Amino acid sequence: MLRIYKKSDYESMSRQVANLIAAQVTLKPKSVLGLATGSTPNGAYKYLIESCKQGDLSFAEISTVNLDEYVGLAPDHEQSYRYYMNDNLFNHVDIKLENTHVPNGLATHPTQECLQYEQLIADLGGVDLQLLGMGHNGHIAFNEPSESYTKITNVVDLAERTIQANSIYFENDVNKVPKQAFTMGIGSIMRARKIVIAVSGAEKAESLVKAFQGPITPSLPASILQVHHDVVLVADEAALSKF
Ligand code: GLP
């Protein structure tokens, strides 16, 4: 089932996403949250930090698993997703850092890292709520457009468009952007009990309408969400302008 929240702008989209996560955390304080990085969830994380500081919310018993990580970046590299999560959320709420998980970008045995990450998600009991953003080409996590869906956590080559888009975090230099990443597979994502996908901005409108109203195809990875039983799309008017 798909529910759509159409919000006026980025800020109100962010508040809505934060409210959904807060509801999950409040109703099930031991939830396993699947978290995302990028510019989209940033605002929601700020609202969650605020609620936590006001004493309205506690992450004390929450566990998290992140969607993805760049291959080759150390956890303390400023553009690693581990650094992003610590900096934008974990260091400002009462979560126990040992209960937060991000693939290890420096893993010496990538295949083993992928299998272990998948096992970790299973050992935690699966993801209760998975937060997603969406790339301009319709990618979710780092699952790029391809000919088939990946089932589990794997290592992917990033698409040119993704490298371009993410170069803003690497001094606008595409050569500095890692070319590969660890990512949960489409299967890992689809196993989450609830999915919240946040999308903002007119430049994603075309991919967004195709994802939810077009054919289900691995060439537009987000389209698989049409068959998930519990998806909430929170988007601003600009992103929903082609619906
Ligand atoms: C990145 C991340 C995704 C994210 C997407 C959109 O490359 N791997 O998890 O959802 O691309 O990013 P943004 O929110 O910055 O547009």
Side-chain angles (χ1 to χ4, degrees):
M1 194 195 84
L2 170 67
R3 191 173 329 136
I4 303 177
Y5 286 107
K6 184 177 187 173
K7 309 307 287 186
S8 54
D9 54 17
Y10 177 81
E11 279 308 310
S12 102
M13 177 202 76
S14 299
R15 278 197 300 275
Q16 182 71 65
V17 171
N19 285 343
L20 290 163
I21 296 173
Q24 175 70 39
V25 170
T26 307
L27 287 168
K28 187 179 175 191
K30 289 190 182 179
S31 288
V32 177
L33 301 179
L35 296 179
T37 52
S39 52
T40 309
N42 230 349
Y45 293 154
K46 288 204 179 87
Y47 286 111
L48 289 172
I49 291 169
E50 217 174 282
S51 299
C52 210
K53 289 204 164 127
Q54 281 169 0
D56 294 334
L57 200 61
S58 172
F59 287 80
E61 296 178 286
I62 293 291
S63 299
T64 67
V65 284
N66 258 79
L67 285 169
D68 45 17
E69 178 60 287
Y70 289 114
V71 168
L73 295 197
D76 61 354
H77 187 291
E78 283 192 19
Q79 297 312 330
S80 76
Y81 286 167
R82 162 51 80 181
Y83 188 96
Y84 170 105
M85 288 311 302
N86 288 356
D87 199 37
N88 288 291
L89 184 65
F90 300 152
N91 288 346
H92 311 286
V93 296
D94 59 346
I95 200 162
K96 295 186 186 78
L97 262 193
E98 65 266 28
N99 292 340
T100 69
H101 308 279
V102 182
N104 175 12
L106 295 184
T108 40
H109 299 290
T111 312
Q112 205 177 314
E113 173 68 13
C114 293
L115 292 174
Q116 277 171 358
Y117 202 69
E118 206 59 36
Q119 188 59 48
L120 168 82
I121 299 170
D123 291 347
L124 287 169
V127 172
D128 290 302
L129 183 153
Q130 177 65 59
L131 175 62
L132 294 177
M134 187 188 79
H136 297 85
N137 56 7
H139 75 235
I140 46 177
F142 266 134
N143 293 284
E144 297 286 17
S146 77
E147 284 166 14
S148 60
Y149 290 117
T150 50
K151 291 191 178 66
I152 64 163
T153 302
N154 63 111
V155 175
V156 290
D157 295 331
L158 301 184
E160 272 314 310
R161 196 165 176 198
T162 305
I163 292 171
Q164 275 288 349
N166 290 3
S167 66
I168 54 166
Y169 303 110
F170 293 85
E171 298 158 27
N172 287 312
D173 183 351
V174 287
N175 297 313
K176 291 194 172 143
V177 184
K179 305 290 176 285
Q180 288 190 311
F182 289 100
T183 181
M184 276 191 205
I186 292 291
S188 335
I189 293 169
M190 291 296 281
R191 279 188 284 280
R193 289 185 266 280
K194 177 184 273 297
I195 292 179
V196 174
I197 176 165
V199 187
S200 167
E203 67 283 2
K204 291 184 180 171
E206 188 69 41
S207 292
L208 188 60
V209 74
K210 281 189 188 150
F212 285 97
Q213 294 182 355
I216 297 168
T217 164
S219 64
L220 207 148
S223 62
I224 191 77
L225 299 176
Q226 290 180 38
V227 295
H228 191 278
H229 63 282
D230 190 354
V231 178
V232 182
L233 165 63
V234 189
D236 57 19
E237 282 170 7
L240 285 169
S241 58
K242 296 195 191 295
F243 266 60

